[in-house]
Amino acid sequence: MTFKDLGLSAKVLSAVETAGYETPTPIQEQAIPVALEGRDVLGIAQTGTGKTASFTLPMLTQLETGRARARMPRSLILEPTRELAAQVEQSFLTYGANHKLTIALLIGGVSFAEQNRKLDRGADVLIATPGRLLDHVERGKLMLNGVEILVIDEADRMLDMGFIPDIERICKLIPFTRQTLFFSATMPPEIQRLTDTFLQNPKRIEVARPSSTVENVTQKLVFSSSDSFEKRETLRKLLREPEVKNAIVFCNRKRDVATLYASLQKHGFNAAALHGDMDQYARMATLTSFRDGTVAFLIASDVAARGLDIPDVSHVLNFDVPIHAEDYVHRIGRTGRAGREGHALTIITPADTKAIGAIEKLIALKLEWQGDAPTQEQLEAGARGRRRSSNKRTAPSTVRKAVSAEKQENDTTSPSRPKRRKTEPQPADSPLEQSSVSEVAVQTKPEASPEAAPAADRPEKSPKGAAPSNKQKKKETETSAFGAGGHVPAFLQRPVRISQ
Ligand code: AMP
């Protein structure tokens, strides 16, 4: 089958040819004709399958007729993260090169002013993260009753990040007569319920994960003792290997991203940090530098790097073994893309043997050691050291909470957006931002306290992920006295009113 057989317009076919695509991928082959008929689609597929083009190409064809009106977009694409939204915008620009469609990107962390201007002009295609989209709606700057095509992408990640109530709200604001194209890598019950409610007689299309992800990627384990200095030294040795052209280095926590970034900088590596607390401009600038090769090593947390399509990454290095086994699969999927060869190296300390067992079970593959396997003695020596220092280590459950807290923080308009509030978050450039943020912090802290990340995992204010200064550490200690000992007296849990 060729793209010509799918019913796409001449303009779209010409752009596809320019992009160099010869044959449609399975999701494109199945979803495009159905989408062009105006039918709902339920696509069970993940990144790397070509799913972005499977909704972008038919949308461009459908949007060729008709015009956008001010503040009333004709189509809407919801993405869980700012980076994915920006990536989809890029796809529209590539595949829509022969069209004169207006595209607006509404993501958090950037000024409202430019977004308002685009909305005022009228958008044929609106690409948004749910939080920022609802902020525009609540400010009266955007009406969704002109949306003819709705795309909900990466729905299971939306679920992970707590966006489902927002998605439900948005679906209810869009006319029932719309066409919905819905994509999710997995179908947990919450997602099934969502599709049962909001899709009408969808065509269900399921494609296997791209086998090339694993086939093209060599995966090896590298032993290190639990000592953090030695672990960093192990990483530096790996990064100095001549075959490592560039790499994404994954850490489990934002704090470790910052520490590792500072350490690599000190040792003269051309590195940059990427995590959920950086403002959007810094995140995009970092990604661009990595994409164009200005930066060779990207030190990242999962939340910032999942789903990214950077075509030429020679190595993925897991500085920390991921807490959830499925994150391993997402991480190594950043290398070996588009049929290229990729390499994934995971540093294993004695503390990680159980976690790596879970990963091997998930991928149904026994991972080999790079070089010599550690001896039983090395493993036990490390384990003894670990027991001695275990009181100082963060408990695994705390780490899990920190990870989930980090997911909550990503891609919202304000850094603290655990729940939608009556007082709407202000744009990053607004003078009201400070008061709005502090109000949320005061109102939600008692409630959020038992689940909150440890003080060290809260947003680092240091520029470009540098390690916190002593002054900052002191400030963190002072502010964290609030939950000292983990017990929060009842009187502190009552909401506090601040007089303005
Ligand atoms: P996606 O799953 O949408 O993130 O796409 C993954 C990668 O596949 C992107 O880099 C696309 O440019 C590329 N791609 C999408 N469709 C095709 C195709 N039909 N042929 C070759 N590459 C494609």
Side-chain angles (χ1 to χ4, degrees):
M1 184 172 283
T2 68
F3 279 101
K4 285 200 178 100
D5 302 321
L6 300 177
L8 295 164
S9 72
K11 283 182 186 172
V12 172
L13 286 175
S14 151
V16 166
E17 203 182 321
T18 311
Y21 302 164
E22 283 165 11
T23 43
T25 65
I27 184 93
Q28 291 163 0
E29 204 175 296
Q30 296 175 70
I32 292 173
V34 180
L36 286 172
E37 278 171 27
R39 229 182 120 178
D40 283 3
V41 168
L42 168 54
I44 302 165
Q46 48 190 279
T47 47
T49 54
K51 77 174 158 62
T52 316
S54 81
F55 61 80
T56 315
L57 303 182
M59 282 176 77
L60 284 165
T61 302
Q62 285 163 299
L63 293 170
E64 279 176 19
T65 49
R67 277 187 57 196
R69 282 184 285 163
R71 297 181 192 178
M72 289 181 72
R74 300 167 65 200
S75 65
L76 170 64
I77 297 149
L78 293 172
E79 292 290 334
T81 69
R82 300 163 184 180
E83 280 76 13
L84 283 171
Q87 221 164 262
V88 170
E89 183 193 33
Q90 199 48 52
S91 294
F92 268 99
L93 294 173
T94 306
Y95 308 134
N98 305 320
H99 294 73
K100 284 206 173 62
L101 298 176
T102 329
I103 299 161
L105 181 66
L106 302 188
I107 52 177
V110 293
S111 143
F112 277 80
E114 178 58 20
Q115 297 180 352
N116 284 337
R117 262 195 297 281
K118 285 215 166 159
L119 290 175
D120 286 345
R121 258 188 277 149
D124 295 290
V125 180
L126 186 61
I127 305 158
T129 48
R132 179 55 71 104
L133 181 90
L134 284 170
D135 289 340
H136 277 280
V137 171
E138 284 158 12
R139 287 156 182 249
K141 297 285 183 194
L142 174 63
M143 283 171 290
L144 297 180
N145 47 345
V147 172
E148 297 154 27
I149 309 168
L150 168 68
V151 177
I152 299 173
D153 194 19
E154 303 262 326
D156 51 353
R157 285 189 67 195
M158 302 263 199
L159 174 71
D160 279 354
M161 298 169 79
F163 283 148
I164 297 302
D166 285 352
I167 300 291
E168 286 176 322
R169 234 182 113 202
I170 294 165
C171 283
K172 286 177 189 159
L173 295 170
I174 302 177
F176 188 61
T177 49
R178 66 167 185 262
Q179 176 184 15
T180 309
L181 311 174
F182 190 102
F183 295 88
S184 189
T186 56
M187 285 298 287
E190 297 91 331
I191 299 295
Q192 185 66 52
R193 189 181 57 76
L194 202 65
T195 57
D196 291 347
T197 314
F198 294 109
L199 269 63
Q200 292 177 56
N201 186 28
K203 167 90 176 152
R204 186 184 164 106
I205 299 164
E206 192 162 355
V207 297
R209 61 168 303 107
S211 53
S212 60
T213 306
V214 174
E215 277 169 14
N216 293 355
V217 177
T218 58
Q219 304 171 61
K220 291 274 168 64
L221 305 179
V222 179
F223 179 76
S224 163
S225 79
S226 301
D227 179 85
S228 55
F229 176 81
E230 272 179 45
K231 203 174 163 188
R232 286 199 293 272
E233 176 56 27
T234 305
L235 175 75
R236 289 196 292 272
K237 273 193 200 141
L238 293 173
L239 293 181
R240 285 190 192 110
E241 295 284 336
E243 67 270 19
V244 182
K245 206 176 107 239
N246 63 354
I248 304 181
V249 180
F250 282 99
C251 298
N252 288 350
R253 291 177 292 174
K254 292 176 283 202
R255 180 183 60 177
D256 297 333
V257 170
T259 312
L260 192 58
Y261 164 68
S263 157
L264 288 174
Q265 283 251 306
K266 210 179 86 197
H267 283 84
F269 286 87
N270 176 14
L274 185 73
H275 57 73
D277 282 343
M278 289 161 63
D279 75 49
Q280 192 53 26
Y281 292 113
R283 277 160 77 159
M284 298 311 284
T286 301
L287 276 174
T288 305
S289 311
F290 186 64
R291 264 203 184 97
D292 68 20
T294 317
V295 159
F297 305 115
L298 190 65
I299 321 304
S301 65
D302 288 285
V303 74
R306 239 172 86 167
L308 290 184
D309 181 32
I310 301 170
D312 203 2
V313 178
S314 83
H315 283 68
V316 160
L317 276 143
N318 291 313
F319 182 71
D320 294 319
V321 177
I323 293 160
H324 303 291
E326 63 269 29
D327 283 336
Y328 176 84
V329 180
H330 288 293
R331 288 181 183 186
I332 70 163
R334 301 309 110 219
T335 180
R337 289 181 82 76
R340 289 186 177 86
E341 197 183 308
H343 305 276
L345 297 170
T346 302
I347 298 180
I348 302 290
T349 71
D352 300 319
T353 44
K354 210 167 158 188
I356 205 69
I359 289 168
E360 288 176 330
K361 198 167 155 210
L362 179 76
I363 61 173
L365 186 72
K366 181 93 187 114
L367 295 172
E368 286 175 11
W369 294 95
Q370 171 153 294
D372 295 333
T375 61
Q376 197 57 30
E377 205 179 20
Q378 278 175 306
L379 284 170
E380 282 172 8
R384 271 200 305 279
R386 186 161 52 89
R387 271 196 296 278
R388 267 202 308 277
S389 60
S390 62
N391 287 345
K392 290 184 198 149
R393 290 170 61 88
T394 315
S397 65
T398 320
V399 175
R400 268 197 301 279
K401 281 172 192 165
V403 169
S404 99
E406 181 171 0
K407 280 183 173 159
Q408 288 288 337
E409 282 159 17
N410 189 42
D411 305 300
T412 55
T413 299
S414 101
S416 311
R417 199 172 187 278
K419 285 180 182 170
R420 292 203 64 74
R421 294 161 285 124
K422 287 217 174 74
T423 312
E424 279 315 301
Q426 300 301 316
D429 54 352
S430 156
L432 288 175
E433 187 196 21
Q434 287 308 318
S435 63
S436 143
V437 170
S438 65
E439 180 189 326
V440 179
V442 171
Q443 287 185 347
T444 58
K445 206 170 178 183
E447 193 186 324
S449 179
E451 292 297 311
D457 287 336
R458 292 197 196 113
E460 303 109 357
K461 298 289 177 217
S462 317
K464 277 206 103 189
S469 65
N470 285 342
K471 204 167 154 194
Q472 281 170 320
K473 277 186 197 151
K474 184 163 176 273
K475 205 167 152 210
E476 272 176 11
T477 320
E478 281 162 9
T479 49
S480 66
F482 175 84
H487 170 69
V488 184
F491 75 90
L492 276 179
Q493 302 205 29
R494 275 188 238 123
V496 178
R497 231 180 256 270
I498 305 175
S499 53
Q500 298 293 321

